[in-house]
Amino acid sequence: MSKDIFEEMLNQRTDNDLFNTANHAGQTYLNEIIQREVYPTDEAVAALEVFAEPLADHGIAAEEVLEMLHTFGSAATVATQSGRYFGFVTGGALPVSLAARILGDYWDQNPALYVCSPTIATLESTCEAWLRELLKLPQNVVAGFVTGSSVAIFCGLAAGRYRLLNNLGWDVSQKGLYSAPRLRVIAPKVVHGTVLKAVSLLGLGHDSIEWLECDSEGRVLTEQLPIIDQRCLVILQAGNVCSGCYDDFQAIIPLAKAAGAWVHVDGAFGLWAAASETLQSLTVGMTEADSFSMDGHKSLNLPYDNGIVLCADKEALLVAMHNSGSYAEPSNDRDSMLYGPEMSRRGRAVDLWAALKYLGKEGVATLILRLHTTAVKIADGLRSRGFNIVNDVVFNQVLVACDSDELTELALEHLQSSGDVWLGGALWNDQKVMRISVCSWMTTQADIEITLKAFVKALDKASQ
Ligand SMILES: *Cc1c(COP(=O)(O)O)cnc(C)c1O
């Protein structure tokens, strides 16, 4: 070996060049990305080929490692850190959260057990209490900090599976599912795909799902609910991924609870509406559910890897996420591995704590409401320019159609290659739609205007 990497790495820790390089590249990126095409150019994507190389026998200088990432990686990123990315449901990143995360990365803490990181355990406890307050959830609700809503849904349904079977005299943690009483999964027809993932991971199988009919917005038709009993895991939505609609919690949850069912609310981006006085009418009655899944990395604009499971039945969640080992005895303090499927992981709560501390209740409410008002402005602007808005813009989602499916598809292609904006498409009530998700704090009035112009230009091109 030609160089002593251990000595070199000790030097890297003490002279700050490497970290300064990373910070400088990151800051340059943030400044430049606002001007760049929202979707990377074909050339930038093709240049990613440089990463498809065999692992070399010998490494390269650390500075060169960063340079390669920045030169090729940064150039081909999708500009989600700009104000005109409306694809899927993708938040930006609040500067304070991003900066706090960078500091937290220096710490490299593992929150598995309190003893591994009192700092992260304390931040998690604080965030748990703050979330209850912000979302007006009961005092018995606990929080687990997971990768995203996919895993949060899995955790909520795992807790429900444990509780329902336990009520029926069956300990699923011990005995498994092979001879267990059969559970029923009750879900809206327009449920998010990650619910299906969770249902299959939990061994319940897609065949156990009884689909609920929905209205044209995607809300469960309460008058067509099946008979709910104590074997039912009921899944409802606070923010459908296309239309943004909310189920009628007030009508459904009391009925399900009275029957002994478990209710899970998928509120990946929409649960945050509960933090805004103007929008909280959407979530009335929601707080009586048993479990909730949400993302910090969507509406709250934390960096990625910030999902949250909230559960009113602490015992069910902890038993379902069961983790033990003679070297890893839980303490009387918060041992994070008990609240989710992972043992070792990043100290995610740093990002969340920083955002909530910076924004306060008022700031969170303002951020959430801004997503809505921006979506309404875009919808109104498009309507007045001859586009059809096919959903009720109750929160941040806008579904746009042209006069035919063909025109919609063509216009979307032009928009996607324009570089001015990026958004995806979907099929909604058998109609092709363009799907705008306003989920970033960065979308300004100027961005709205550029977006409206881009739509008009794309429709013109499509109509030729
Ligand atoms: C994004 C989303 C999910 C999945 O969340 P991830 O953070 O991507 O795992 C689930 N449900 C809804 C409604 C979503 O918008």
Side-chain angles (χ1 to χ4, degrees):
M1 176 149 247
S2 54
K3 59 184 178 186
D4 181 344
I5 52 167
F6 300 103
E7 200 182 312
E8 189 173 285
M9 289 194 288
L10 278 176
N11 290 334
Q12 286 167 357
R13 279 181 62 129
T14 47
D15 80 37
N16 294 322
D17 292 352
L18 190 58
F19 299 103
N20 286 339
T21 302
N23 276 325
H24 181 70
Q27 285 159 13
T28 310
Y29 178 80
L30 284 187
N31 290 332
E32 290 176 354
I33 197 65
I34 313 181
Q35 326 289 348
R36 218 200 59 194
E37 300 85 1
V38 179
Y39 204 80
T41 60
D42 292 346
E43 296 77 60
V45 173
L48 290 171
E49 187 67 28
V50 295
F51 292 115
E53 57 174 350
L55 181 60
D57 289 335
H58 302 291
I60 61 172
E63 293 269 351
E64 288 174 46
V65 171
L66 288 185
E67 195 182 307
M68 187 171 163
L69 262 185
H70 185 47
T71 306
F72 298 100
S74 296
T77 53
V78 176
T80 55
Q81 288 273 55
S82 79
R84 279 174 276 116
Y85 183 82
F86 304 110
F88 307 95
V89 183
T90 306
L94 301 173
V96 72
S97 259
L98 186 54
R101 179 198 197 120
I102 292 169
L103 176 58
D105 282 348
Y106 278 96
W107 298 344
D108 195 29
Q109 298 287 282
N110 177 3
L113 294 167
Y114 181 86
V115 71
C116 303
S117 181
T119 302
I120 305 293
T122 305
L123 293 176
E124 284 194 5
S125 297
T126 299
C127 287
E128 180 183 85
W130 286 358
L131 286 171
R132 277 195 300 260
E133 202 181 335
L134 263 177
L135 306 168
K136 288 110 189 153
L137 297 173
Q139 282 305 310
N140 55 331
V141 168
V142 295
F145 299 91
V146 298
T147 57
S149 280
S150 314
V151 174
I153 293 167
F154 169 80
C155 294
L157 295 184
R161 183 184 71 165
Y162 167 78
R163 177 55 69 211
L164 293 183
L165 287 173
N166 201 61
N167 289 346
L168 295 165
W170 187 267
D171 181 349
V172 69
S173 294
Q174 287 298 327
K175 298 193 203 170
L177 275 178
Y178 288 117
S179 309
R182 199 178 164 85
L183 295 183
R184 300 164 57 202
V185 181
I186 312 277
K189 267 190 168 163
V190 292
V191 84
H192 195 271
T194 51
V195 169
L196 294 179
K197 190 195 275 262
V199 167
S200 64
L201 282 173
L202 286 164
L204 299 170
H206 296 179
D207 286 352
S208 66
I209 303 178
E210 296 171 36
W211 296 109
L212 299 175
E213 291 298 329
C214 299
D215 67 12
S216 59
E217 293 296 322
R219 286 176 303 228
V220 166
L221 289 171
T222 50
E223 60 277 17
Q224 290 186 28
L225 281 177
I227 299 202
I228 295 175
D229 60 30
Q230 80 271 32
R231 296 180 302 127
C232 291
L233 282 168
V234 179
I235 296 152
L236 298 175
Q237 301 195 93
N240 172 270
V241 75
C242 283
S243 71
C245 75
Y246 290 70
D247 280 320
D248 185 349
F249 305 116
Q250 252 178 323
I252 306 170
I253 295 180
L255 201 140
K257 297 291 295 173
W262 180 279
V263 181
H264 178 86
V265 176
D266 174 12
F269 60 93
L271 211 74
W272 292 102
S276 156
E277 226 172 277
T278 318
L279 296 172
Q280 66 189 3
S281 59
L282 295 168
T283 59
V284 174
M286 182 193 76
T287 60
E288 301 310 311
D290 298 286
S291 56
F292 310 83
S293 41
M294 71 193 299
D295 279 323
H297 56 228
K298 288 181 179 168
S299 315
L300 190 63
N301 280 237
L302 303 185
Y304 267 101
D305 186 23
N306 269 302
I308 305 157
V309 56
L310 296 156
C311 187
D313 184 340
K314 179 177 177 182
E315 188 196 54
L317 181 67
L318 268 59
V319 176
M321 296 298 126
H322 177 84
N323 192 336
S324 64
S326 61
Y327 70 98
E329 282 306 311
S331 65
N332 292 324
D333 298 302
R334 183 181 173 96
D335 296 309
S336 303
M337 69 175 187
L338 303 179
Y339 295 76
E342 298 152 303
M343 186 171 180
S344 304
R345 62 171 170 81
R346 200 173 73 75
R348 300 182 176 110
V350 171
D351 318 6
L352 175 60
W353 177 85
L356 297 180
K357 182 74 183 165
Y358 171 71
L359 294 169
K361 286 184 215 170
E362 197 183 65
V364 174
T366 306
L367 168 65
I368 299 306
L369 184 60
R370 178 179 159 107
L371 303 180
H372 173 62
T373 49
T374 304
V376 169
K377 281 184 197 169
I378 293 178
D380 289 346
L382 288 175
R383 212 181 274 113
S384 71
R385 286 162 178 79
F387 290 89
N388 307 315
I389 304 302
V390 309
N391 69 319
D392 215 355
V393 183
V394 293
F395 186 30
N396 65 329
Q397 302 292 112
V398 185
L399 301 180
V400 190
C402 305
D403 290 339
S404 71
D405 278 2
E406 293 69 31
L407 266 184
T408 304
E409 276 190 324
L410 264 177
L412 181 59
E413 276 175 31
H414 289 307
L415 281 166
Q416 289 181 338
S417 57
S418 70
D420 294 333
V421 294
W422 202 91
L423 61 154
L427 198 62
W428 185 248
N429 296 325
D430 298 322
Q431 183 182 19
K432 291 264 161 60
V433 293
M434 300 185 264
R435 211 174 139 276
I436 298 174
S437 177
V438 179
C439 208
S440 171
W441 65 273
M442 276 173 285
T443 307
T444 60
Q445 187 59 38
D447 287 318
I448 296 176
E449 279 149 28
I450 297 172
T451 300
L452 295 175
K453 278 201 188 115
F455 268 81
V456 170
K457 209 162 93 188
L459 180 58
D460 279 351
K461 271 187 162 180
S463 311
Q464 278 164 19

